[in-house]
Amino acid sequence: MASLGQIIFCSMIILIVLFSALIILILSVSLTGSGFGGSTSSVVSSNKNPIANLGEDQLLSCYVNAGQNSIINQVSVTWEKKGLTGLVYKYADGADDLTDQNPQFKARTQVFPGSLVGGNGSLLLRAVRSSDEGEYTCSISSSEGKGTVNIQLRTAAFSAPTLKFSSGALVAEARSWFPKPNITWSDYDGHVLQGSTNFTQNSAGIFTVVSRLQSVNMSDTYTYRIENNLVTALSRATITGSEVSANTYFIYAANAASSLLSLTYLGIMTSVLCIYYLT
């Protein structure tokens, strides 16, 4: 039978996890919630916390969540950025209206007129800059009503590394990372290995990362992890003769919704383990 101290300890752990999940839920609703007046439709985004790769194009999602195959008329779309004088973009009366556009976004923004009849007011932002980071508001007015949604754009630089076998070492080079990343090498079983890493920063503050793992074995598989607080690149490399066979995939920092799901799962598992432990 569990002691009073054990019961109190498990109860405190469960309450802490659930309270954390509740806080994240409240923040998610307050920061990314959207309003829509006088209609059963709403303005939504498929990704309210996108991470844009510096220098590349980024789509900011915004659309009217109407019925399937609905035809929406008289659509106007306005994009604004918090703290910015002027607009990011505006589409009204069947054409671009860039009279009040901030110079920062000149010739760098567009919507897709052919998609507007379906209520899609998503914005394509070209050649993303670090100064583009911030909170955007998409406002759509149409025959279905009107509403807004907020999108928090984050910026980073990230690229897949190239891996090669050179002078008995496995070498990984990634040419574009920001913020400065951390590097981890590990073997097939997940044991952390000691590598050596050099960082070179250009005038724009972007890092080139060259990391070297010595004394590797032929036909063995190694994992190279390069990550900052926004993006992680995981590469699995197998040495075959003088060649390296590798594949890389990216993991992006979780938004509030996925964090909530993780905490909810953790809360359930913690509860189950505590109940098992107490019995």
Side-chain angles (χ1 to χ4, degrees):
M1 181 175 180
S3 67
L4 178 61
Q6 291 171 327
I7 295 173
I8 293 174
F9 175 76
C10 275
S11 299
M12 288 179 64
I13 294 296
I14 294 171
L15 286 174
I16 289 171
V17 172
L18 294 178
F19 185 65
S20 299
L22 179 61
I23 290 175
I24 291 178
L25 175 61
I26 293 171
L27 289 174
S28 176
V29 171
S30 63
L31 292 176
T32 60
S34 61
F36 201 92
S39 174
T40 57
S41 299
S42 61
V43 173
V44 296
S45 174
S46 61
N47 186 359
K48 295 181 181 179
N49 296 275
I51 299 173
N53 201 348
L54 293 172
E56 297 186 3
D57 299 346
Q58 177 67 38
L59 184 69
L60 303 183
S61 166
C62 176
Y63 57 93
V64 176
N65 189 22
Q68 190 175 14
N69 300 321
S70 296
I71 301 298
I72 299 173
N73 300 312
Q74 301 171 343
V75 179
S76 64
V77 180
T78 302
W79 281 87
E80 300 172 277
K81 184 173 183 284
K82 187 175 181 179
L84 183 78
T85 301
L87 301 176
V88 175
Y89 180 87
K90 184 176 181 180
Y91 181 94
D93 299 324
D96 296 340
D97 181 359
L98 306 180
T99 305
D100 296 324
Q101 186 180 47
N102 186 284
Q104 174 182 336
F105 294 98
K106 184 178 180 180
R108 298 178 55 227
T109 55
Q110 72 173 80
V111 295
F112 303 91
S115 299
L116 288 174
V117 293
N120 188 342
S122 299
L123 182 78
L124 182 64
L125 178 58
R126 297 190 179 281
V128 170
R129 308 166 183 172
S130 58
S131 58
D132 293 334
E133 184 167 291
E135 182 179 310
Y136 291 76
T137 299
C138 170
S139 304
I140 298 181
S141 176
S142 72
S143 57
E144 295 290 310
K146 60 182 179 179
T148 65
V149 64
N150 295 328
I151 297 168
Q152 187 68 40
L153 177 65
R154 298 167 291 174
T155 61
F158 49 95
S159 61
T162 57
L163 291 105
K164 63 181 180 179
F165 183 62
S166 176
S167 302
L170 184 57
V171 181
E173 180 176 357
R175 294 186 173 274
S176 179
W177 276 84
F178 183 85
K180 186 178 181 179
N182 296 312
I183 306 301
T184 306
W185 287 97
S186 57
D187 62 16
Y188 181 81
D189 295 319
H191 300 125
V192 175
L193 305 173
Q194 187 64 45
S196 60
T197 303
N198 293 318
F199 298 91
T200 305
Q201 193 173 19
N202 65 18
S203 58
I206 307 300
F207 291 92
T208 294
V209 185
V210 179
S211 190
R212 182 181 296 268
L213 182 66
Q214 299 285 356
S215 304
V216 294
N217 299 318
M218 295 293 182
S219 301
D220 280 359
T221 298
Y222 299 89
T223 298
Y224 174 68
R225 184 184 185 100
I226 178 169
E227 62 182 330
N228 54 35
N229 62 320
L230 293 175
V231 184
T232 298
L234 277 176
S235 301
R236 289 192 172 88
T238 302
I239 304 170
T240 307
S242 60
E243 301 295 326
V244 176
S245 174
N247 60 80
T248 299
Y249 63 92
F250 291 95
I251 304 170
Y252 301 95
N255 56 31
S258 58
S259 296
L260 176 62
L261 289 174
S262 299
L263 278 172
T264 302
Y265 174 78
L266 179 60
I268 294 171
M269 292 305 299
T270 303
S271 303
V272 171
L273 289 174
C274 276
I275 292 170
Y276 176 79
Y277 176 65
L278 294 176
T279 55

